[in-house]
Amino acid sequence: MTAGKADIDRLTLNGTVDDEDIVTPWDVESKNESGIDYDKLIKRFGSSKIDEELLARFKKITGKEPHHFLRRGIFFSHRDMHTILNLYEQGKPFYLYTGRGPSSDSMHLGHLIPFMFCKWLQDAFNVPLVIQLTDDEKAIWKNLKIEDAIKLAYSNAKDIIALGFKPDKTFIFSNLEHIGNNPAFYQNMIRIQRGVTFNQVKGIFGFGDSDPIAKISFPPTQAAPAISSTFPFIFNNAKVQCLIPCAIDQDPYFRMTRDVAPKIGYPKPALLHSVFFPALQGSKTKMSASSDNSAIFLTDTAKQIKNKVNKHAFSGGQATVEEHRQLGGNCEVDISYQWLRFFLEDDEKLEQLRKGYTSGEILTGELKKQLIDVLQPLVATHQAARSKITDEIIREYMIPRDLGFITNAK
């Protein structure tokens, strides 16, 4: 779709899918026990469903089985992914961009999803990755002290680095520290700001007259990393296509970016959208760092993980064992099963659990134990990797530098 009125029409939806589902960068809510209706969201946002044809192209081009996030529809929607695959087939470059808004000292399991997927994409395509820590956004929305927001960014950077990103192909930056030292970043922010009207930004994000102007000026900050000239030390000012894996609630920022990018002479960023990682209490909302009992944090002990899952994970089972044996459980709403879809990599075992729970052979407590057995070693392994991340290692990732990018793009 070319930039123009059609783009703007889709920009002004404010994330309301229907009377039941609300999806914005700040609020996700559904009245349906099974959560957001993603098919409706695709139609409303104007994206494309990740289908079998796209998965087959992934496998053919990379020589790898598609990540289980793709196979299971966890990343379910895209914009221009075929363009990215065309570039790769032609030996032409692209780069990855994703981000994290550091609102708490510890990230939770849901925060890992885009980074785990980016790690797989980086390895599969051998491309550079830029990771934006939007500490400025959190200072604005959460009214944090600037210094505290920066501290949270560095703490979250440790969690991100612990996933094993290639240091020679990964640049991580704090907005509050980096932008002031990178004139190209600020210049692209101004170019983007000139391309979006006040009415458009109010329509896209729902800002009101009483909101601080900091909120209104922030979206171009999140948009700028999708423009390759924002990082001249990486891309030598070449016009390089960007691919952004993110949860679909971030799509309004990049619908805006896709409208503006051609106006300033750059390709529209492509996107891969993930579903939301549900709260322990159920799929009506996403997991939140502000609610301790809705989330498993990366600092939680094995005992805390076990207790949280057993006590708070919403069950799709029946009221009694007898009824469950007779009627079976509902995997669509059962949080233990839904979380296993994210973190249990064995497709065959996941299918066995689905059939067993649906038939009533497997009880809710048994399914919860399966989840606990997956999460405890996952979090423990992450904690061990994180404990080895020193301040010096963080600086290595955060120093603006050449990432060995070679391009013939013009």
Side-chain angles (χ1 to χ4, degrees):
M1 183 170 63
T2 57
K5 186 176 184 300
D7 283 309
I8 298 303
D9 287 345
R10 286 201 171 112
L11 292 177
T12 57
L13 293 171
N14 283 331
T16 302
V17 181
D18 54 29
D19 290 340
E20 295 185 346
D21 290 350
I22 296 173
V23 177
T24 75
W26 309 282
D27 296 299
V28 175
E29 186 177 345
S30 175
K31 294 181 180 178
N32 192 321
E33 292 289 355
S34 59
I36 300 296
D37 187 326
Y38 290 104
D39 287 334
K40 283 186 178 180
L41 200 56
I42 285 173
K43 291 179 182 177
R44 203 63 181 253
F45 279 6
S47 59
S48 300
K49 190 168 186 175
I50 293 176
D51 55 18
E52 290 301 320
E53 177 190 357
L54 187 58
L55 295 183
R57 285 201 73 197
F58 258 109
K59 183 173 181 179
K60 178 183 177 182
I61 290 170
T62 65
K64 300 176 183 289
E65 283 292 332
H67 194 281
H68 70 273
F69 288 170
L70 288 168
R71 300 196 306 269
R72 298 175 188 171
I74 289 169
F75 274 82
F76 71 101
S77 165
H78 74 98
R79 298 185 188 277
D80 291 343
M81 190 60 210
H82 282 290
T83 301
I84 294 293
L85 294 179
N86 290 342
L87 289 172
Y88 189 74
E89 275 189 314
Q90 296 162 13
K92 295 180 180 179
F94 70 93
Y95 71 101
L96 295 165
Y97 158 41
T98 196
R100 160 79 184 128
S103 58
S104 60
D105 187 58
S106 172
M107 291 167 57
H108 60 55
L109 286 175
H111 295 143
L112 286 184
I113 303 307
F115 296 106
M116 292 170 69
F117 190 52
C118 270
K119 174 68 168 60
W120 182 83
L121 290 170
Q122 185 184 61
D123 292 343
F125 292 104
N126 193 31
V127 292
L129 164 66
V130 297
I131 298 175
Q132 180 185 50
L133 301 174
T134 56
D135 41 13
D136 52 345
E137 176 196 17
K138 295 308 176 182
I140 297 165
W141 264 266
K142 302 287 186 179
N143 201 27
L144 298 175
K145 291 181 179 179
I146 298 293
E147 297 79 9
D148 291 341
I150 294 173
K151 286 180 182 178
L152 293 179
Y154 274 76
S155 179
N156 285 188
K158 284 190 175 183
D159 280 320
I160 294 166
I161 293 168
L163 290 172
F165 290 104
K166 297 177 180 178
D168 59 337
K169 288 196 174 294
T170 307
F171 174 54
I172 303 174
F173 62 97
S174 147
N175 279 348
L176 287 171
E177 289 194 331
H178 175 69
I179 294 173
N181 296 312
N182 180 359
F185 200 124
Y186 184 65
Q187 289 164 17
N188 276 340
M189 287 170 56
I190 297 300
R191 292 184 180 103
I192 294 165
Q193 288 172 358
R194 290 189 308 195
V196 184
T197 69
F198 181 52
N199 282 336
Q200 286 170 1
V201 81
K202 286 200 300 182
I204 297 165
F205 299 102
F207 297 142
D209 292 341
S210 298
D211 279 314
I213 58 173
K215 288 186 178 182
I216 298 164
S217 64
F218 173 74
T221 310
Q222 186 158 320
I227 307 298
S228 56
S229 62
T230 297
F231 308 104
F233 47 88
I234 300 175
F235 301 111
N236 301 312
N237 294 313
K239 295 181 179 179
V240 185
Q241 182 89 29
C242 177
L243 172 61
I244 307 168
C246 62
I248 198 166
D249 60 340
Q250 297 300 301
D251 190 65
Y253 286 107
F254 301 117
R255 294 203 301 277
M256 181 195 78
T257 311
R258 284 169 57 83
D259 179 63
V260 173
K263 298 176 184 177
I264 61 176
Y266 283 84
K268 296 181 179 183
L271 287 101
L272 288 166
H273 300 124
S274 73
V275 300
F276 302 113
F277 191 72
L280 277 167
Q281 285 77 8
S283 296
K284 290 184 177 182
T285 186
K286 66 178 180 178
M287 184 182 282
S288 172
S290 61
S291 177
D292 185 63
N293 288 329
S294 80
I296 300 293
F297 289 89
L298 299 178
T299 51
D300 282 348
T301 64
K303 183 178 180 180
Q304 285 175 314
I305 292 169
K306 180 179 179 180
N307 289 342
K308 284 184 179 182
V309 170
N310 283 331
K311 184 175 182 179
H312 298 293
F314 186 83
S315 169
Q318 304 300 328
T320 66
V321 171
E322 292 75 16
E323 287 182 13
H324 188 86
R325 295 293 190 198
Q326 180 182 359
L327 302 174
N330 183 355
C331 286
E332 294 297 314
V333 301
D334 190 278
I335 287 300
S336 294
Y337 178 78
Q338 290 302 316
W339 281 25
L340 284 166
R341 289 182 66 243
F342 284 84
F343 295 116
L344 177 61
E345 295 186 19
D346 187 328
D347 288 340
E348 185 176 337
K349 185 172 183 180
L350 183 68
E351 178 61 13
Q352 289 173 353
L353 292 173
R354 187 194 68 80
K355 287 181 177 178
Y357 194 62
T358 302
S359 69
E361 179 184 350
I362 294 176
L363 300 174
T364 296
E366 297 172 279
L367 198 61
K368 287 186 175 184
K369 184 179 185 306
Q370 291 286 338
L371 177 63
I372 292 165
D373 288 346
V374 169
L375 295 185
Q376 285 178 332
L378 185 154
V379 173
T381 299
H382 185 88
Q383 289 171 353
R386 189 187 191 278
S387 69
K388 298 174 183 177
I389 307 301
T390 63
D391 291 343
E392 183 179 350
I393 290 174
I394 295 175
R395 283 194 294 272
E396 289 176 7
Y397 281 88
M398 299 184 82
I399 293 172
R401 65 203 186 281
D402 178 10
L403 297 182
F405 186 76
I406 300 173
T407 177
N408 57 2
K410 301 297 182 184

